Amino acid sequence: GSASTDSTATDSTATAGVVTADSVIPYRLAENYFATSDSLPTVITSTKEQEKYLGMAATMGQLPTEIDWSREFVIPIALPPAGTETEIIPVSLIRNTSGGLTLTYRLREGFSLQGAKMRPFVALIVSRDYLAPVTLQQEEGVIIACEG
C-alpha cells in the first residue's frame, strides 16, 4: 500500500508583520500644496497649522484639495531640498501595534534640476477617526526614473 501523507495546513494565529484589512487606514492626497519649511509636525490638525506649514499653489485652474479640519487631519512628508526631481510615493498607511499610525513611503528620483533645488513634499488627508501619533518609514531603495 501507499502511505498517504495528509498534510493539513494548520491555520496560524500568529499574524505578526501581516497587515490585516482593518489595520489599513484610508487616505487621499492633498493636491497643490507645498511645504513652507523643512521641519514639519507629523500631523497638521487645523487651519492655523496649515497656514504655518503649508503653502497653497493654485496652478492652471487646479485649486488645492479642500480639507475639512473638523473631520480630517493631514500627514505631511517634506524632505530637505534636493538637486534632482524627487517624488515621495506613499506606499501604505496602517495602524501599528502600539495604536499609532505608520506611513510607509518610497522615493522616486528623476532627472537633475540643473543646479536648482526642489523640496520633495506630499501630504495625506485622513479622517479624524484615525488621529494618532504618526511614524514615517522610508522603504529601502530608491526608484530611479531613467532619462531618455
Side-chain angles (χ1 to χ4, degrees), residues 15-97:
T15 54
V18 175
V19 176
T20 55
D22 60 355
S23 66
V24 174
I25 310 295
Y27 64 86
R28 57 197 179 99
L29 291 177
E31 303 283 351
N32 297 313
Y33 289 91
F34 60 90
T36 57
S37 162
D38 280 345
S39 61
L40 297 176
T42 53
V43 295
I44 296 174
T45 57
S46 68
T47 306
K48 191 172 184 172
E49 289 178 1
Q50 174 200 325
E51 289 168 354
K52 183 174 179 182
Y53 297 110
L54 303 183
M56 293 188 195
T59 55
M60 299 202 302
Q62 297 273 321
L63 294 172
T65 308
E66 208 166 297
I67 301 164
D68 180 349
W69 294 108
S70 66
R71 298 201 329 242
E72 298 172 316
F73 70 100
V74 167
I75 303 173
I77 307 175
L79 301 176
T84 54
E85 185 181 46
T86 303
E87 184 182 1
I88 302 169
I89 303 167
V91 174
S92 65
L93 179 62
I94 60 166
R95 186 175 299 286
N96 58 40
T97 50

